[in-house]
Each structure stands twice: as structure tokens, then as C-alpha cells.
Amino acid sequence: MSPTFRTPGVYARRLGMLATAVALASLTTLVGAPSAAAAPPTPISAAAARSYLATVTPKTEGSTSGYSRDLFPHWSTVSGACNTRETVLKRDGVNVVQDSACAAVGGSWYSEYDGATWTAASDLDIDHVVPLAEAWRSGANSWTTAKRQQFANDLTRPQLIAVTDNVNQAKGDLDPGKWLPSRTAYRCTYARMWVNVKQYWGLSMDSGEKTALVNILNAC
């Protein structure tokens, strides 16, 4: 059989078509590739938060009498060996590697509260945006233990976030009238998160807390 000869022009066109197809396939792969969320669920908008605050009648905060973190069981098992803490570390980090026990052994985390980046999970705490003691003083003292457990492990609302451990410890159980993230660019988001959680869970607000939130959100 005689060999088949192709003109240089036809051969060049076919090479060009192949290169274009490869490029388009690569672009499609990049566009369709999932990216890490690296953040809690998106909170309600500033406008929605302001609208809700307009309906809130401030209430004097209750006491911490009888309070214990043990009354808010955490961290619950989410799937297999993974509990809520490890789930949040995976969600909020970038390129997080977990071992067979679901512990984060690699990755990096950006702490939204202070702008620090960490590469060791031990440098991070999982902050309850609305602290457990704050929730207790705002109405959770009357909840069942099961409901408090749901609150302490809430992955659906923007209630949990991985942040610098020392920053979380400095925040303690303070509300926005007494503590805000030092990174001012995150304060609007933080206020929206706080209002979102309190609204969903039906928790009360005191006057100082509400005033601080209104002031922040009016500037958003």
C-alpha cells in the first residue's frame, strides 16, 4: 500500500485544532474545579440584619448562675472519626490534610479576626461567634441539653469559625458591645454573623449589644 501524504497546510491545521481542543479542555477543568470555601456559611445581609435589629427590644442580660460549658456538649461527631472541630478546620483552611483520625496535620488557615495566617492546627481555636455563656445569659439557660448541643455544634449558621487561639481566648464570652475583631475589615461580617445566629436561635440582646451592632451595620 502506498503511503498517504498530507500537505503541510492540512497537517498544520490539524495540529492547531488539537491544540485548541486541549486548551479548551484545560480551561473547562479549571473553571469547573471546586475551590475551598475557607469560610463559615454566608450570614444574612447587612440590610436584613438592620431590619431585624429594628424589631428587637433590648432585654437585660441574665446571669451565668448555673452555667457550665458541659451543658453545651461539643464537639459532636459529624461523620466517621470527624467531629465538629475537625470539620470546621477542614472547611476554613486551605489544602488541609487530615490523618486517619480526621485530625488536621497539614494546611494553612487565615484568621479573619486578626489577619494572622497559621500552618499548625494547634494555633487555632474554633470560636463560637455567639459564645456559649452569652447564649446562656440570653435565653439558652431554659433550653434542653439537646438543643444546647445543636447550638454548640451549629454548622449551618455562621456560628463557628477557626481563628487564632489567643484572640479567641481574649474574646471570651464578650458581646459586640465589649469586643470586636481587631481587623476592622471583618467587623461588618462579624456583626452580620452575630445577628444571624441570635435571630435564628431566638436569643435576646441587651441595650449595649444592640447599639454596637446597629452602629457597625449602619456603616456597612
Side-chain angles (χ1 to χ4, degrees):
M1 180 179 291
S2 300
T4 301
F5 294 97
R6 297 187 179 92
T7 65
V10 172
Y11 187 65
R13 281 197 301 274
R14 291 191 177 183
L15 280 178
M17 290 170 65
L18 179 60
T20 300
V22 171
L24 285 173
S26 299
L27 179 60
T28 301
T29 301
L30 287 172
V31 171
S35 58
T42 302
I44 58 175
S45 67
R50 287 193 295 267
S51 294
Y52 174 69
L53 286 173
T55 71
V56 172
T57 300
K59 182 179 179 180
T60 302
E61 192 168 73
S63 74
T64 52
S65 177
Y67 167 74
S68 168
R69 287 179 65 85
D70 293 339
L71 295 172
F72 293 79
H74 61 288
W75 303 108
S76 299
T77 299
V78 174
S79 177
C82 301
N83 63 21
T84 311
R85 172 183 165 81
E86 299 300 341
T87 300
V88 174
L89 284 172
K90 175 72 171 178
R91 182 199 69 192
D92 290 1
V94 176
N95 298 323
V96 176
V97 177
Q98 295 174 306
D99 64 16
S100 60
C102 204
V105 294
S108 65
W109 293 265
Y110 178 76
S111 173
E112 293 284 7
Y113 287 1
D114 58 330
T117 297
W118 303 99
T119 56
S122 58
D123 289 319
L124 298 147
D125 278 353
I126 306 305
D127 179 44
H128 289 95
V129 173
V130 175
L132 304 183
E134 165 68 18
W136 178 269
R137 296 189 298 262
S138 304
N141 60 320
S142 65
W143 294 352
T144 62
T145 300
K147 185 173 181 178
R148 287 193 288 264
Q149 181 173 10
Q150 292 172 352
F151 175 81
N153 297 276
D154 188 359
L155 292 166
T156 305
R157 265 63 53 181
Q159 162 67 342
L160 300 170
I161 183 172
V163 296
T164 303
D165 54 2
N166 291 340
V167 172
N168 180 55
Q169 290 153 26
K171 171 186 171 180
D173 63 354
L174 302 178
D175 67 39
K178 300 167 185 172
W179 186 92
L180 289 168
S182 61
R183 184 170 163 258
T184 55
Y186 198 68
R187 289 182 179 179
C188 278
T189 301
Y190 183 76
R192 289 162 50 207
M193 294 165 75
W194 185 281
V195 173
N196 195 162
V197 172
K198 281 229 163 173
Q199 178 185 29
Y200 178 83
W201 289 98
L203 295 168
S204 64
M205 296 185 187
D206 63 40
S207 59
E209 173 187 356
K210 178 182 176 179
T211 297
L213 290 165
V214 168
N215 289 339
I216 295 166
L217 290 164
N218 280 345
C220 294

